[in-house]
């Protein structure tokens, strides 16, 4: 029998080498591409390395561990709900408002912004930041996108057609309040512009407001606003830079965002990739595509990386339309990865009010080219201003002034300085409507069952203190009104419960985590009255573990973990307010199904307080009346705009999730909400009456 030992050894070596390569690739794929902010492990016995999460070290006590999550019932409601970012509905609602504002702007119903020709001369320096290295790097990353958008023959433009612009606020300037300051903010904006493709690629995504806050930790809002130059929003910087490089600015169609790192934006994008691609990581171009008026498109438009596109359209709509012709822009958005980085591309396709023929479009295009110079010479556009000379090179349509004058102070209309109470109310109302629809669906039996916690879960990281204490006069009056005089129980029937998260705990992944108390981040706590004899809970104080974790990371100067990372790694499994309230009430009452009343005492959440104050102001008898609503205050049903808006606040959403997650135990309920003021304090009470 013939044998070939050398050949056999070679084959064995090749097999071993191939096996090693496969294992290495699999491990690289797993460790390098899993995004913890989107993935939910469901495979039993899955071993993953958790020494770091997105580059941020875990607290002491973590060891590599076998994770066994075999079914959805083994996932806490905290984890299962975190698959959709907690603010997703709010993003959808805000995006809907942005779309309405865009529509109104293109219809000429909102004034927008009109910059004087020398606006950038107010403290800004424009620099040409383009070089061959930039060209090669961006071409490698974005060539496939350009070829798909514009065809393989046109594709990525030649180097001569690309502009890279740095705008730096490094000169003395006049603030939007009219104050002259010698010390610049050092804010900057950087983008790559493709005039021949009507596309801008934004490489920086921080507004001047954010950059001032980053450079001045602890600065108050009032002091920050006093430093703002007349140009402060990212959308305005992008538009002015585009004006300096394009001879036809209104034809801008595409806005791309490269290397997105904002946690809110990543959370929404991760959720969509996981839901629609069944994948826990971004996928290459074209990734996922959504229409602008879809829920997904609205949510992406309202993310920090989408808002600049929205405000550019809102503020500069009149500069982006042909007179009497283009009246709207139809939006669609792609989210995808480029070399592993998350990216977003908005297509703002011009929409004509009437159908056009191919020949008519051709004629308009040629006539437009002939007339374009005279049209644009009449526009008001931003000037590029160089730190060494005012004689910078400008496009032909920009009219240069040898003696630039400082611009007049102007107010913002992008809510960076002043909040719009009506807009906040509408966002809360929309969020509440979506929450109520989820609750109704749960009442109808749709959705998966949610894990209930045993009272022993309170021993995992929490210290509990119970004492007997009578309800204060504020809530005695409320329950006297609801139940009748004499029905409020005495102190020996009221449990005053204080939960403090000050002990080490085991997270939902089975890992031990050191307590955060003593780390300068504060301590998570829940304080509430539990009154089972009248089916009531009154919340006095609430500091969630998520807020403590975010404070700790901020004080360490580290990037904040996502909400899902917090839920999985940095908080006890029993952490969410609705779960804690339900678990404690079950332990005390032994009949959690009778829970009906939930009150919030002395509300301190600023967003909730603003919505409540706006509602109180709307219901005053006269504008001269005091902005207060003494007991019994105001009462609204869930079918009213006010009731829906209050459900959509941070304090109301806790009630909503309790009803949603415990719909099978509670049965169908109807909602009424009362709000009233006690001096400077605001109170809210929910009546969840059985149907």
């Amino acid at each position: 029998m013939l044998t070939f030992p050398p050949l056999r050894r070679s084959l064995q070596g090749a097999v071993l080498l191939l096996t090693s390569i496969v294992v290495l690739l699999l491990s690289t794929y797993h460790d390098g591409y899993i995004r913890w902010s989107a993935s939910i492990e469901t495979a039993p016995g899955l071993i993953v390395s958790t020494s770091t999460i997105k580059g941020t070290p875990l607290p002491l006590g973590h060891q590599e561990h076998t994770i066994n999550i075999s079914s959805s019932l083994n996932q806490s409601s905290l984890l299962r709900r975190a698959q959709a970012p907690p603010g997703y509905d709010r993003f959808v609602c805000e995006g809907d408002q942005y779309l309405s504002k865009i529509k109104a702007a293109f219809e000429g119903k909102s004034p927008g912004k009109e910059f004087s020709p020398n606006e950038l001369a107010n403290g800004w320096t424009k620099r040409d930041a383009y070089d061959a290295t930039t060209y090669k790097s961006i071409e490698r990353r974005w060539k496939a996108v350009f070829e798909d958008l514009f065809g393989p023959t046109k594709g990525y433009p030649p180097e001569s057609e690309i502009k890279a612009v740095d705008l730096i606020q490094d000169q003395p300037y006049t603030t939007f309040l009219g104050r002259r300051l010698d010390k610049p903010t050092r804010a900057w904006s950087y983008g790559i512009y493709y005039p021949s493709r009507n596309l801008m690629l934004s490489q920086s995504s921080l507004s001047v407001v954010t950059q001032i806050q980053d450079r001045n930790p602890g600065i108050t809002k009032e002091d920050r606003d006093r430093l703002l130059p007349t140009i402060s929003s990212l959308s305005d910087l992008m538009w002015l830079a585009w004006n300096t490089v394009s001879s036809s600015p209104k034809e801008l169609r595409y806005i791309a965002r490269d290397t997105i790192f904002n946690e809110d934006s990543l959370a929404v994008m991760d959720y969509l990739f996981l839901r629609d691609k069944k994948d826990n990581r971004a996928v290459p171009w074209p990734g996922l595509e959504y229409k602008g008026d879809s829920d997904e498109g609205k949510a992406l438009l309202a993310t920090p990386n989408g808002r600049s596109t929205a405000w550019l359209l809102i503020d500069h709509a009149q500069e982006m339309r042909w007179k009497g012709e283009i009246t709207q822009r139809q939006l669609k958005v792609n989210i995808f990865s480029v070399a592993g980085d998350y990216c977003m591309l908005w297509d703002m396709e011009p929409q004509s009010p009437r159908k056009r023929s191919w020949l008519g479009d051709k004629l308009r295009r040629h006539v437009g080219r002939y007339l374009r110079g005279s049209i644009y010479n009449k526009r008001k556009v931003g000037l590029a201003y160089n730190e060494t000379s005012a004689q910078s090179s400008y496009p032909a349509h920009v009219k240069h002034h040898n003696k630039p004058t400082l611009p007049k102070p102007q107010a913002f209309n992008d809510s960076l300085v002043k909040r719009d109470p009506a807009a906040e109310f509408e966002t809360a109302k929309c969020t509440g409507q979506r929450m109520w629809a989820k609750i109704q669906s749960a009442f109808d039996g749709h959705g998966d069952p949610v894990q209930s916690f045993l009272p022993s879960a309170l021993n995992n990281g929490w210290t509990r203190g119970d004492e007997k204490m009578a309800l204060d006069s504020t809530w005695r009056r409320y329950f006297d009104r609801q139940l009748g005089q004499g029905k409020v129980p005495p102190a020996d029937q009221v449990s005053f419960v204080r939960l403090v998260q000050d002990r080490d705990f085991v997270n939902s992944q089975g890992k031990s985590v050191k307590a955060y108390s003593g780390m300068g981040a504060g301590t998570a706590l829940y304080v509430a009255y539990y009154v089972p004899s009248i089916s009531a809970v009154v919340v006095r104080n609430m500091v969630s573990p998520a807020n403590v974790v975010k404070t700790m990371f901020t004080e360490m100067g580290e990037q904040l973990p996502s909400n899902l990372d917090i839920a999985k790694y940095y908080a006890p499994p029993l952490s969410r307010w609705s779960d804690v309230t339900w678990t404690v009430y079950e332990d005390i009452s032994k009949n959690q199904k009778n829970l009906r009343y939930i009150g919030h005492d002395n509300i301190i959440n600023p967003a909730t307080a603003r919505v409540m104050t706006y509602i109180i102001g709307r219901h005053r008898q006269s504008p001269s009346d005091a902005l207060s609503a003494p007991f019994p205050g105001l009462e609204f049903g869930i079918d009213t705009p006010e009731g829906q808006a209050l459900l959509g606040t941070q304090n109301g959403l806790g009630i909503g999730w309790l009803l949603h997650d415990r719909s099978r135990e509670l049965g169908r309920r109807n909602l009424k909400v009362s709000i009233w003021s006690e001096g400077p304090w605001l109170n809210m009470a929910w009546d969840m009456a059985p149907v």
Side-chain angles (χ1 to χ4, degrees), residues 87-97 294-296 298-300 302 430 434:
Y88 183 76
D89 283 345
R90 176 176 57 83
F91 282 130
V92 174
C93 294
E94 289 183 354
D96 187 65
Q97 289 193 54
S294 65
D295 280 356
E296 298 84 355
K298 293 174 183 177
L300 291 166
C430 174
R434 294 174 66 86

Side-chain angles (χ1 to χ4, degrees), residues 380-402:
K380 291 185 176 181
V381 296
L383 282 177
Y385 197 77
N386 188 280
E387 65 176 345
T388 58
S389 171
Q391 304 296 330
S392 300
S393 58
Y394 305 101
H397 68 278
V398 177
K399 192 174 181 180
H400 181 61
H401 295 262
N402 291 324

Side-chain angles (χ1 to χ4, degrees), residues 439-452:
I439 295 170
Q440 296 286 73
S441 178
F443 286 154
D444 292 336
H446 302 304
D448 297 327
V450 177
Q451 176 189 9
S452 290

Side-chain angles (χ1 to χ4, degrees), residues 329-347:
R329 294 288 181 119
Q330 180 173 307
L331 298 182
K332 66 179 179 182
V333 58
N334 290 74
I335 55 174
F336 53 98
S337 69
V338 173
D341 297 322
Y342 278 35
C343 301
M344 182 185 297
L345 185 139
W346 289 92
D347 181 354

Side-chain angles (χ1 to χ4, degrees), residues 141-151 199 254-257 273 277 282-289 332-341 343-347:
R141 292 170 59 85
W142 286 84
K143 186 175 181 180
V145 178
F146 276 78
E147 289 182 348
D148 190 42
L149 289 175
F150 307 109
L199 185 149
Y254 302 98
I255 296 180
R257 306 305 300 269
F273 281 122
K277 279 289 188 182
V283 292
W285 175 267
L288 293 172
E289 181 178 294
K332 66 179 179 182
V333 58
N334 290 74
I335 55 174
F336 53 98
S337 69
V338 173
D341 297 322
C343 301
M344 182 185 297
L345 185 139
W346 289 92
D347 181 354

Side-chain angles (χ1 to χ4, degrees), residues 157-284:
E159 191 170 352
S160 59
E161 296 181 11
I162 304 174
K163 306 292 182 183
V165 176
D166 242 339
L167 295 176
I168 306 172
Q169 210 281 305
D170 59 352
Q171 303 293 326
Y173 66 102
T174 298
T175 70
F176 85 102
L177 294 173
R179 183 185 176 194
R180 182 68 176 173
L181 296 179
D182 292 328
K183 184 180 179 180
T185 64
R186 306 299 302 178
W188 67 282
S189 173
Y190 173 66
I192 300 175
Y193 300 89
Y194 305 83
S196 63
R197 304 294 187 267
N198 295 316
L199 185 149
M200 67 167 64
L201 177 60
S202 177
Q203 297 278 7
S204 64
S205 56
L206 297 179
S207 67
V208 177
V209 170
T210 303
Q211 294 184 62
I212 291 176
Q213 289 174 330
D214 290 345
R215 289 186 173 90
N216 301 274
I219 189 172
T220 65
K221 179 179 180 299
E222 292 74 17
D223 289 340
R224 179 203 69 190
D225 293 346
R226 294 189 186 101
L227 301 178
L228 294 178
T230 53
I231 305 174
S232 293
S233 64
L234 179 63
S235 58
D236 292 338
L237 292 171
M238 291 162 55
W239 178 250
L240 287 175
W242 176 252
N243 271 266
T244 66
V245 300
S246 173
S247 61
S248 184
K250 68 175 62 179
E251 292 186 1
L252 174 65
R253 174 164 174 175
Y254 302 98
I255 296 180
R257 306 305 300 269
D258 195 4
T259 314
I260 291 172
F261 56 84
N262 179 274
E263 284 296 330
D264 286 335
S265 299
L266 290 175
V268 173
M269 296 168 76
D270 273 332
Y271 166 60
L272 295 176
F273 281 122
L274 182 63
R275 189 195 70 182
D276 295 345
K277 279 289 188 182
K278 310 301 180 188
D279 204 340
N280 56 13
R281 58 194 173 92
V283 292

Side-chain angles (χ1 to χ4, degrees), residues 362-629:
K362 283 286 186 182
L363 289 173
R364 286 185 181 86
R365 191 173 298 118
H366 287 292
V367 172
R369 286 173 181 167
Y370 178 77
L371 298 176
R372 191 164 295 158
S374 60
I375 292 175
Y376 279 106
N377 280 336
K378 298 176 182 178
R379 291 177 66 254
K380 291 185 176 181
V381 296
L383 282 177
Y385 197 77
N386 188 280
E387 65 176 345
T388 58
S389 171
Q391 304 296 330
S392 300
S393 58
Y394 305 101
H397 68 278
V398 177
K399 192 174 181 180
H400 181 61
H401 295 262
N402 291 324
K403 296 181 179 180
T405 57
L406 290 172
K408 295 180 180 179
Q410 61 181 27
F412 288 156
N413 65 344
D414 57 358
S415 303
L416 286 175
V417 175
K418 184 178 180 180
R419 295 181 184 274
D420 182 356
E424 282 195 296
F425 173 82
E426 290 299 323
T427 297
K429 182 181 75 172
C430 174
T431 305
Q433 290 171 342
R434 294 174 66 86
M435 184 74 252
W436 183 238
K438 287 185 175 73
I439 295 170
Q440 296 286 73
S441 178
F443 286 154
D444 292 336
H446 302 304
D448 297 327
V450 177
Q451 176 189 9
S452 290
F453 292 91
L454 296 175
S456 59
L458 293 167
N459 298 326
N460 183 19
W462 295 94
T463 298
R464 175 174 169 178
D466 291 45
E467 60 180 303
K468 298 300 182 181
M469 184 183 296
L471 287 170
D472 63 24
S473 58
T474 297
W475 291 97
R476 294 183 69 87
R477 282 187 299 166
Y478 172 77
F479 288 114
D480 280 342
R481 181 179 175 84
Q482 297 295 322
L483 306 172
Q485 292 290 334
K487 296 293 182 67
V488 178
D492 61 354
Q493 297 182 34
V494 180
S495 295
F496 185 72
V497 179
R498 178 183 175 89
L499 286 169
V500 183
Q501 204 274 294
D502 59 353
R503 294 159 49 195
D504 298 354
F505 61 90
V506 177
N507 66 17
S508 60
Q509 305 300 297
K511 295 183 172 20
S512 177
V513 181
K514 295 291 184 182
Y516 302 127
S517 56
M519 295 186 183
T523 305
L525 60 88
Y526 294 109
V527 181
Y529 295 99
Y530 289 84
V531 198
S533 61
I534 57 174
S535 308
V537 176
V538 178
V539 181
R540 288 296 305 270
N541 203 347
M542 179 175 63
V543 179
S544 72
N547 287 339
V548 172
V549 170
K550 290 180 179 180
T551 300
M552 182 181 66
F553 272 75
T554 299
E555 292 180 353
M556 291 191 304
E558 298 285 346
Q559 181 178 336
L560 295 182
S562 70
N563 289 304
L564 183 55
D565 286 343
I566 293 174
K568 292 172 67 175
Y569 299 101
Y570 298 104
L574 180 58
S575 292
R576 197 174 287 273
W577 176 88
S578 56
D579 291 334
V580 172
T581 300
W582 182 260
T583 303
V584 176
Y585 187 81
E586 178 184 12
D587 184 45
I588 292 176
S589 74
K590 311 304 179 186
N591 180 20
Q592 74 273 32
K593 295 181 180 180
N594 69 355
L595 179 60
R596 174 167 175 175
Y597 300 101
I598 297 182
H600 285 282
D601 189 49
N602 294 350
I603 288 175
I604 60 174
N605 182 280
T608 301
R610 286 194 298 269
V611 172
M612 295 174 69
T613 303
Y614 176 76
I615 291 172
I616 291 171
R618 284 178 46 161
H619 288 268
R620 285 183 296 179
Q621 296 295 325
S622 169
S624 60
D625 291 349
L627 196 60
S628 62

